[in-house]
Amino acid sequence: MSVDTVSLTGWGRTAPTTALRFRPRSHEEAAATVLGCGPRGSIARGLGRTHGDAAQNAGGSVLDMTALDRVRGIDAAAGLVVCDAGTTLHRLREVMLPLGWFPPVVPGGRYVTVGGAIGSDAHGDNHRTAGSFSRHVMEFTLLTADGEVRTVRPGTPLFDATAGGLGLTGVILSATLRFRPVTTALMAVDTERAAGLDDLLARMARGHRPYEYARIDLTARGRATGRGVLVRANHVPVRALPAHARHTALALGPARRPAAPPPLPRLLGRLSAAVLNEIGYRSAPRSRTGELQPLGAFFRALDARPHSNRVSPTGGRIHYAFLVGHGQEETLRRIVGRIARSRCPSFRAVLRRCGEGGPGWLSFPAPGWHLSLDLPAGLPGLARFLDSLDEEVAAAGGRVSLTEDARLRPGALAAMYPRLPDFRALRTELDPNGAFRSDLSRRLSL
């Protein structure tokens, strides 16, 4: 097992802190690290693709789980796979797609570990129909603070606390996952433009495709406020392909990872944000249906530009992700309008509809509207502005995503997550000495 001292951040590259990093190569090494973690505790970490500080631990230890990445067993008839927590969704896709199976939930990118997907209860563009990641977990093994390895199954309090529990109940070591059947490696994609937020919400309410999201221009104002590009998609059935293409229907082309972008985008500001949003909106088709795209092209949010977190002004980037329920569309309109009027240089704003929430006590998704956006962390007055948005979200019965958070105040937490007392009580019982801690857990008193 290797050990070093490192400065770590989330994907947003804000608030770096220093910790002792352990890289266990076996479950026994992981257990030894937890039992000897010291007074500042420890927290598991995957590939660091979440934006906030959930996988940082200032002055303590961090378990880098990426060396535990074995695929331990496959049931090709049932679509089940047993794998280590450090296995990436990219690796599982490579293994399972030729057998006719695909991950049921794909979050922002395929370079996410299974342990991270469970700990954050990750969701994707198909949450309305497929739910979040934990819904497709048959069981997982969890290393708890006493060094015991427990098998945890759905329907138990420990499962509900760990799914979305941000690594604070223990270290996920392995998991058994259920995949969904597919017959091709292609997606049929529909794209259309919406002139404003009301138009966009109406179009999304009429949609029935399993995958759906909208890229919103939060720099547009007036009648164009909230305009966006709506994307819907479904897996292409093999019967839709010509006969000569069916024998290679499940072939996945090689993944291409582009080089790091040049440093010029570090100058991004209000003007360039408006220009880029304008280009993104105008370059999208007014209406196009049935475009065939390879899986790798459609599920590319973080993968298309793997170094995009380096393209931000000094101080990093705040990823603000919130949800309000159905019937709270006026709150959504008001927040979108406030962001537009503030002239914040917002990038990559995405609106999704979420479906039924999962069992996780701290899981983010719930029925309603989920908006996420990126903002330069160094904007004057940003903290005060986002605090005021938190108040609106909480007043509407909504919530901010803890997985992506780097700045939420603890006072807003209880209103957003009503099962928080249950989570804290289970943690106290399971881990009375605080073996599992993170920067986020200290900031929010979890």
Side-chain angles (χ1 to χ4, degrees):
M1 175 169 58
S2 64
V3 184
D4 59 356
T5 300
V6 291
S7 178
L8 296 171
T9 70
W11 190 250
R13 298 170 70 87
T14 61
T17 57
T18 300
L20 199 61
R21 178 174 59 186
F22 293 82
R23 288 194 176 100
R25 296 188 175 276
S26 68
H27 294 177
E28 292 75 19
E29 288 185 351
T33 302
V34 168
L35 290 174
C37 63
R40 294 289 288 181
S42 186
I43 195 71
R45 181 181 176 95
L47 290 172
R49 287 302 181 103
T50 59
H51 287 78
D53 55 2
Q56 299 170 222
N57 186 24
S61 61
V62 169
L63 272 71
D64 183 331
M65 300 295 290
T66 54
L68 294 170
D69 60 353
R70 288 179 54 193
V71 177
R72 296 179 173 268
I74 295 172
D75 184 337
L80 299 179
V81 59
V82 182
C83 62
D84 286 340
T87 310
T88 65
L89 298 187
H90 170 65
R91 172 64 176 150
L92 293 180
R93 189 173 76 178
E94 287 185 323
V95 170
M96 298 295 286
L97 184 61
L99 303 176
W101 300 96
F102 189 73
V105 173
V106 179
R110 64 183 182 270
Y111 297 105
V112 174
T113 63
V114 167
I118 296 173
S120 61
D121 200 12
H123 63 282
D125 298 328
N126 62 339
H127 185 271
R128 186 174 53 86
T129 56
S132 53
F133 197 85
S134 65
R135 184 183 293 187
H136 309 277
V137 176
M138 310 301 291
E139 66 178 33
F140 57 81
T141 58
L142 185 73
L143 171 64
T144 49
D146 54 6
E148 181 181 347
V149 176
R150 309 180 187 215
T151 298
V152 184
R153 296 184 176 90
T156 62
L158 189 51
F159 187 98
D160 297 348
T162 304
L166 308 165
L168 296 173
T169 60
V171 179
I172 298 169
L173 297 175
S174 65
T176 301
L177 311 175
R178 181 179 60 242
F179 276 46
R180 63 162 294 167
V182 295
T183 54
T184 73
L186 293 170
M187 303 293 291
V189 183
D190 300 343
T191 307
E192 58 187 292
R193 294 196 322 218
L197 184 59
D198 286 343
D199 183 24
L200 180 59
L201 295 180
R203 291 171 186 262
M204 294 182 77
R206 295 193 297 266
H208 300 289
R209 304 292 285 275
Y211 297 91
E212 177 188 70
Y213 68 90
R215 301 189 301 268
I216 296 188
D217 178 3
L218 290 178
T219 63
R221 291 181 290 172
R223 296 177 61 182
T225 298
R227 68 180 181 180
V229 177
L230 177 59
V231 178
R232 298 190 181 102
N234 199 0
H235 292 275
V236 175
V238 69
R239 65 178 180 274
L241 301 182
H244 72 272
R246 294 179 184 179
H247 69 285
T248 58
L250 289 170
L252 185 66
R256 296 189 307 173
R257 300 191 65 173
L264 283 178
R266 291 182 181 275
L267 301 175
L268 291 173
R270 289 191 178 98
L271 178 60
S272 51
V275 170
L276 289 175
N277 278 299
E278 179 74 19
I279 293 172
Y281 180 77
R282 295 295 177 188
S283 62
R286 290 184 181 275
S287 180
R288 181 175 62 199
T289 60
E291 180 193 12
L292 296 184
Q293 293 184 10
L295 287 169
F298 182 74
F299 296 102
R300 68 181 188 275
L302 288 180
D303 304 328
R305 296 177 66 83
H307 305 283
S308 63
N309 66 326
R310 300 176 189 173
V311 182
S312 59
T314 301
R317 194 170 58 206
I318 295 292
H319 186 78
Y320 188 67
F322 72 91
L323 180 144
V324 293
H326 295 299
Q328 292 294 332
E329 287 78 9
E330 188 54 41
T331 300
L332 178 63
R333 292 186 185 97
R334 188 163 55 248
I335 291 176
V336 168
R338 287 187 60 189
I339 296 171
R341 289 191 301 274
S342 73
R343 304 191 69 185
C344 289
S346 57
F347 301 90
R348 284 183 291 277
V350 177
L351 180 68
R352 297 179 177 90
R353 283 192 299 168
C354 288
E356 182 181 354
W361 292 340
L362 297 187
S363 293
F364 169 67
W369 301 98
H370 165 212
L371 179 62
S372 61
L373 60 142
D374 287 342
L375 295 164
L379 284 178
L382 180 61
R384 186 169 57 255
F385 179 67
L386 293 181
D387 286 346
S388 69
L389 296 189
D390 292 342
E391 293 174 2
E392 287 208 51
V393 170
R399 58 186 58 169
V400 169
S401 171
L402 300 183
T403 302
E404 307 295 347
D405 175 57
R407 30 72 46 199
L408 183 68
R409 293 176 181 270
L413 193 61
M416 295 179 178
Y417 290 91
R419 299 300 301 271
L420 180 61
D422 297 320
F423 180 81
R424 284 173 169 156
L426 186 142
R427 277 204 72 207
T428 299
E429 177 184 347
L430 196 64
D431 183 12
N433 297 319
F436 299 110
R437 302 183 188 184
S438 65
D439 290 355
L440 181 142
S441 74
R442 280 186 284 269
R443 176 167 55 84
L444 294 180
S445 301
L446 291 175

